[in-house]
Amino acid sequence: MRPEILFPLFRPLTALAGVGPRIAKACARLDLERPVDLLWHLPSGLLDRRFSPPLDTAPDGVVATVVVDVGRHLPASNRRLPYRVPCHNESGELTLVFFHARPNYLQRVLPEGSSRVVSGRLERFRGELQMSHPDHIGEPAELARIQTLEPVYPLTAGLTAKALQKATNDALSELPEMPEWLDPALQKAENWLPWQAAVQAVHSPAGFDDLDPLATARARLAYDELLANQLALALMRRSLRRRAGRTTQAEGHLRQRVIAALDYQLTGAQQRTLGEVDADLAAEHRMLRLLQGDVGSGKTIVALLAMLTAVEAGAQATLMAPTEILARQHFATIEPLAQVAGVRLGLLLGRGRQKGRAATLRALAAGEIDILVGTHAVFQQEVEFRDLAFAVIDEQHRFGVHQRLALSAKGAGRCDLLVMTATPIPRTLALTAFGDMETSRLDEKPPGRLPVETRALPLERLEEVVKALERHVADGARVYWVCPLVAESEISDLAAAEQRQAHLSQHFGQRVALVHGRMKGSLKDDAMARFASGEVEILVATTVIEVGVDVPEATVMVIEHAERFGLAQLHQLRGRVGRGTGASSCLMLYAPPLGEVARRRLEIMRQTEDGFRIAEEDLKLRGAGEVLGTRQSGLPAFRLADLGAHGELLAMARDDARLILERDSDLESPRGQALRVLLYLFERDAAVGYLGSG
Ligand code: ADP
Ligand code: MG
């Protein structure tokens, strides 16, 4: 239950005095739905209202605040003309201009013959100095209040700066008196204000420096958010690990047999990873390990060899893939090797997706299957193992890892877990998503892979590219041609891809297939299968090339409008070629002129194929939220923290969280109580549920 002290921050916006339903609706478009959201909606700029020039020499186009005497109003003679209010002071004249004016209102705020402060943008129009729709009109006594640096907020249709400022001020005027959750020594060392003062400060910047993410008030709030994140992860992880684990050990006979049957040597990174996994399996506590390795880094064999430890110890293991296609692919890869080791392998898909499913389930429960490969359906209630010791989850590109772990903890009881992901994640991001979860990295590609020759070309050379493809295809190459996101709508993406297919068909006839996001699954599979079998040589695709599908014969990747893709996407796309023995190439076609960031991206792509380095560069170029598309990826989105700028704070928060739980494991001390408030403030309510449950 959310503590009472936070109630004012989590009411509907309309509970604020100055916010009616209309403004609340506009705010909702920016996801501002409660006062707390307003607090986290930080100024993105500053407007300087301190300038007060003499009117006769005032420059055009600047924002100014001046005191004037109000002259006789000149109402509009017709609806298309503005209502005008001539004003003056000792330095010259200024006409205030209002379109669609409400005369009563203007008479009230600008009484003829009175003196008034007005603030807004000055413009010269036909020799006359004008200010249309001043942002502020007030009595002379209000000059000091108006003549300031004003924070500028991101806005949206229907939401004026004034309305948002008013709502924000309302929210700020009711800040609860929070207990301090920061470590006093840290707070002192960093010179951080108390929470209330910090919130006030970020909304009243005194200069451009205060907008910097590292400015003290902003840094403090970012730290609060990161601490809540790290504390929540630490609690979740502790609760998972507290469940009794088991020790699983083997001498490695099965593993040796499989290794002897491989026609390659394990890489150093694969051996190191196996060592790490074995140590975890042998340890008393429950294993929770993340294995990161780029596409093609050889995760599958690591998964198999790791599972053999459990099998040799007399227990069962399972490998789960995110899609049926991948589950089948893993099964096909593993089957011959399992035979070598004399290990009994099973395949389990969703209900109704497979003949003989009931028999598989029976064999599993009887312990007649040692390793079960399947989709995530493996964690369904009806699936019973005789003795499951170890589960490997192949996540590919998603990171809902903690939800997944929580779920699997139910299904899999005390079994050890290894989660594999194919998207390299920068260390900072990994920390926010997984906290202190142990991580292994396959950062070494199997030897013998040829580098993918990567080039960037302007789109005007497209016909040249097509000519070159004709030669490649004649030599038996297979080609991916990726069309980008054209607009927000999938329909126009599709149109572009269809057009490209038509265009390429003029050169290649029937040898071009198309896949796109709106296609039915079976049609998509069909097109992919025709490409995989070589029936068609060119596959035109919108960005949805099925994750993980392996066509080793594909050696050319053309990416149209490469400047519109993020680095991670470009890297994933390029990863579809260079998987076989043939030399591969990746052509990034771009529309000049390239912006600075796009140019940098293409340059990095040409410099390196190292997914980890690319991920780090991506983080630098884009800011964390965007790196992997936070929403789809399941990575946490931060409101205040900016991982590009706050990496160091994140590391501090991780250490802080660890120390906190060491000293006060159930957050019962006064600081512990304050930290509970912090968790609720950042809506990590679920994490509080892990407290005190033992
Ligand atoms: P990932 O799942 O990490 O994308 P895979 O496990 O599918 O990669 O491996 C990609 C390819 O590399 C497979 O054909 C596999 O047999 C091969 N491979 C794996 N490890 C090695 C190695 N050490 N040396 C050579 N080839 C390897
Ligand atoms: Mg794989």
Side-chain angles (χ1 to χ4, degrees), residues 95-135:
T95 305
L96 307 181
V97 176
F98 301 88
F99 292 87
H100 309 292
R102 284 178 293 148
N104 290 345
Y105 168 75
L106 292 176
Q107 293 287 354
R108 199 170 71 239
V109 297
L110 291 165
E112 291 174 10
S114 69
S115 177
R116 283 291 179 267
V117 185
V118 293
S119 183
R121 194 169 298 281
L122 295 176
E123 274 150 344
R124 290 202 179 275
F125 184 69
R126 296 193 181 141
E128 185 183 76
L129 187 67
Q130 298 187 344
M131 182 184 288
S132 54
H133 299 268
D135 305 321

Side-chain angles (χ1 to χ4, degrees), residues 419-587:
V419 179
M420 308 197 296
T421 138
T423 303
I425 317 167
R427 283 187 197 280
T428 30
L429 268 186
L431 197 54
T432 64
F434 311 115
D436 266 347
M437 187 167 173
E438 285 83 0
T439 305
S440 299
R441 291 181 150 207
L442 290 180
D443 48 12
E444 182 185 347
K445 285 236 158 120
R449 300 268 163 84
L450 293 169
V452 178
E453 194 204 322
T454 304
R455 295 206 292 153
L457 293 172
L459 265 169
E460 62 222 34
R461 293 177 60 186
L462 191 131
E463 286 308 322
E464 257 172 75
V465 169
V466 174
K467 282 270 165 316
L469 287 187
E470 283 178 359
R471 283 196 308 277
H472 279 300
V473 170
D475 289 345
R478 249 167 275 167
V479 180
Y480 290 107
W481 187 299
V482 175
C483 295
L485 228 79
V486 177
E488 296 83 75
S489 103
E490 273 183 65
I491 297 182
S492 39
D493 288 359
L494 179 54
E498 277 173 342
Q499 248 172 34
R500 183 57 64 214
Q501 183 200 18
H503 164 243
L504 290 173
S505 296
Q506 288 167 13
H507 294 264
F508 299 97
Q510 297 298 307
R511 301 154 84 177
V512 188
L514 174 70
V515 284
H516 57 79
R518 313 190 108 214
M519 231 158 157
K520 277 233 299 267
S522 56
L523 287 177
K524 217 192 287 182
D525 287 351
D526 184 54
M528 295 292 307
R530 285 195 296 143
F531 181 64
S533 71
E535 195 186 321
V536 297
E537 280 104 340
I538 300 181
L539 187 69
V540 177
T542 54
T543 38
V544 287
I545 299 181
E546 244 349 289
V547 161
V549 168
D550 209 359
V551 183
E553 295 83 2
T555 51
V556 183
M557 168 64 65
V558 181
I559 306 172
E560 202 174 324
H561 281 294
E563 78 281 359
R564 296 186 188 158
F565 290 95
L567 252 184
Q569 264 176 316
L570 291 171
H571 176 65
Q572 294 296 345
L573 289 172
R574 180 172 57 185
R576 316 258 152 241
V577 295
R579 299 176 145 212
T581 45
S584 297
S585 54
C586 174
L587 296 175

Side-chain angles (χ1 to χ4, degrees), residues 294-296 298-300 326 329-330 394 396 420 422 548 579:
D294 231 332
V295 171
K299 293 186 292 297
T300 317
L326 279 168
Q329 201 169 297
H330 282 324
D394 189 357
Q396 292 294 331
M420 308 197 296
R579 299 176 145 212

